[in-house]
Amino acid sequence: MKRSLALAAAALLTVSASSGAPGDPSGGDPYFPGQGNGGYDAGHYDLVLDYSPSSNVLNGIATIKARTTQELSRFNLDLTADLDVSKVTVNDAPAAFSQGRTELVVTPTAALASGRAFTIVVEYQGRPKHVVDPDGSRGGWIRTSDGVFNANEPQGAMTWYPGNHHMTDKATYRFTVTVPSTRMAVANGDLTSRKTTGDRTTYVWDVKEPMAGYLATVTVGKFKLTDTRIGKYRTIVAVDPKLADEAVNLAERHAPVLDYFASLFGPYPFSSTGAIVDHAPNVGYALETQSRPIYDEVPSEWLLAHELAHQWFGDSVTPSRWQHIWLNEGFATYADWLWQDKIGERGLQTSFDTAYAIPAKDAFWKTPTADPGGPAALFHDRVYNRGAMTLHVLRSKVGDTAFFQILRTWTAEHKYGNADTRAFIALSERISGHDLSDFFADWLFKPGKPAL
Ligand code: TRP
Ligand code: ZN
């Protein structure tokens, strides 16, 4: 009797504990509604991956440390159904789960209280496939002749690991990746260990600063790796042997760019730098993967500067929604204009004048810079060049001192965080003391070519 009462009491407790509400299956971004999930915040990803390039089989164990933001009965992780989940635990207890096309839905045995730390472990395996983005380009796990080119902006992360793949949910990472010893696994952050057992080698990469999922990379292939301290920076450069001839001095080219940008934008935000240069003729773009951009060719000076500028604008300070992408691309473009000017490749005013000379009837002026209209337009020329022009005109309005003070305050106040266009306007007005509403309305919010 006593015993059954105790059991009944336990059952009652379970019932009341399993109330709570399901986490939102959407992160709320209008450009990519499926991306991200509500109800929790991820803090750390420990990804243990084993990959065989010849078969494209990936085995993964993802351990995610998170915190609930509500009483949570159920929650989603973003992961494509090309990967099969075999087991999920929440706080070491097996959890129920189901997989949709891009969502893994997890139901713990009992609801989790709000504001509570918890641990999710997902075991999964399969043959990852790249995604085709709305603009037609490939993203995510993109196979190459010797491995994988892994670039995840805006939605590739779900092709190879489960997570809260929304740009506002940043986390620290450890990647432990095992590949055949004839290949190498190159990721973000610091290489902390490399160990060969039999014919396979395990690489451990640690990312100690918070990172948005779209900036993660685990790239696999044949590489020549150099790891050197150059000036203030640990510089880790991986170059596909096919491109080695063109890549001479690539490591040495980083410190001068970073020193220049640090003098303008504030201290370099990450513990290491470098590049991943992979021969990938089917990709067609580079990406500012955190601390170590990935390139599909040996970068020119402007491209190197562009991706390194993103470390401040995009990686450390990340937009809170995709429509604010000009905060990444306009700023990185302005920075690459500054670098081209600095090295005497092309004058800053020439860069501005060339873009401004585009006739008013051209599609270039068609959409507002602060909302290019949809996910297919994220990486359009007009976001890059009109964004950069906006900064150049802002600079002429407020003067050099206030302008660079605005940029340094921006990188300091939002370091490792997220911000949007409104915050940038408010900061510009606060520091300059000017009412800039008409200027920003013309340059950011209205379509059409603004008068000078
Ligand atoms: N953000 C990248 C850069 O400017 C460009 C980029 C990322 C891109 N993903 C893309 C361009 C997809 C075209 C298609 O450095
Ligand atoms: Zn860019």
Side-chain angles (χ1 to χ4, degrees), residues 125-353:
Q125 53 283 133
R127 293 184 167 83
K129 285 198 182 83
H130 66 261
V131 280
V132 178
D133 291 327
D135 66 0
S137 58
R138 293 180 182 195
W141 199 261
I142 307 169
R143 289 184 81 185
T144 59
S145 57
D146 60 6
V148 185
F149 183 101
N150 184 218
N152 299 297
E153 187 186 29
Q155 51 169 358
M158 65 180 177
T159 66
W160 60 282
Y161 73 97
N164 193 23
H165 297 315
H166 191 277
M167 62 219 300
T168 57
D169 194 359
K170 297 190 179 190
T172 54
Y173 283 71
R174 166 171 284 186
F175 302 104
T176 303
V177 191
T178 301
V179 292
S181 298
T182 54
R183 302 291 192 272
M184 209 175 258
V186 189
N188 317 85
D190 303 335
L191 178 59
T192 49
S193 133
R194 175 178 175 165
K195 203 157 132 192
T196 298
T197 314
D199 58 0
R200 294 180 85 77
T201 301
T202 300
Y203 295 81
V204 181
W205 296 85
D206 277 306
V207 179
K208 295 180 206 93
E209 303 90 5
M211 177 167 78
Y214 82 87
L215 296 167
T217 187
V218 168
T219 288
V220 178
K222 291 181 183 159
F223 287 107
K224 189 178 173 311
L225 191 97
T226 58
D227 182 352
T228 33
R229 181 139 211 113
I230 303 175
K232 295 197 187 85
Y233 316 97
R234 181 177 178 185
T235 309
I236 305 179
V237 168
V239 177
D240 189 312
K242 287 184 182 126
L243 301 169
D245 290 351
E246 299 163 61
V248 280
N249 292 333
L250 178 58
E252 289 73 17
R253 289 168 57 199
H254 285 68
V257 182
L258 294 172
D259 283 343
Y260 180 55
F261 287 166
S263 77
L264 299 175
F265 310 145
Y268 175 68
F270 303 118
S271 59
S272 61
T273 183
I276 305 170
V277 181
D278 196 5
H279 178 69
N282 54 352
V283 174
Y285 62 87
L287 180 63
E288 63 269 24
T289 38
Q290 188 158 306
S291 73
R292 188 157 301 105
I294 184 165
Y295 306 90
D296 67 341
E297 60 187 358
V298 177
S300 61
E301 274 302 298
W302 80 262
L303 185 59
L304 182 78
H306 182 98
E307 304 308 343
L308 291 179
H310 271 307
Q311 304 306 310
W312 285 262
F313 305 111
D315 296 17
S316 176
V317 185
T318 307
S320 42
R321 280 178 190 263
W322 286 111
Q323 73 177 62
H324 303 290
I325 189 73
W326 82 280
L327 297 169
N328 287 7
E329 301 306 348
F331 285 53
T333 299
Y334 194 60
D336 79 53
W337 288 2
L338 291 171
W339 181 247
Q340 291 180 71
D341 184 86
K342 166 92 175 157
I343 63 172
E345 201 167 277
R346 187 165 76 155
L348 176 63
Q349 194 59 38
T350 304
S351 292
F352 178 89
D353 292 344

Side-chain angles (χ1 to χ4, degrees), residues 18-27 34 36-42 45 62-79 85 87-100 102-113 116-122 162-165 169:
S18 68
S19 58
D24 198 325
S26 168
N37 311 284
Y40 65 96
D41 252 315
Y45 292 84
T63 302
I64 306 166
K65 303 256 183 223
R67 183 173 290 276
T68 54
T69 55
Q70 65 175 62
E71 197 180 338
L72 194 59
S73 61
R74 184 176 89 205
F75 60 88
N76 284 28
L77 295 161
D78 302 312
L79 182 73
V85 173
K87 186 178 177 186
V88 180
T89 65
V90 173
N91 293 332
D92 294 324
F97 62 90
S98 64
Q99 285 189 264
T102 63
E103 301 281 332
L104 169 64
V105 184
V106 177
T107 309
T109 47
L112 305 165
R116 192 185 145 193
F118 69 115
T119 303
I120 312 157
V121 180
V122 180
N164 193 23
H165 297 315
D169 194 359

Side-chain angles (χ1 to χ4, degrees), residues 12-26:
L12 262 176
L13 268 177
T14 314
V15 169
S16 68
S18 68
S19 58
D24 198 325
S26 168

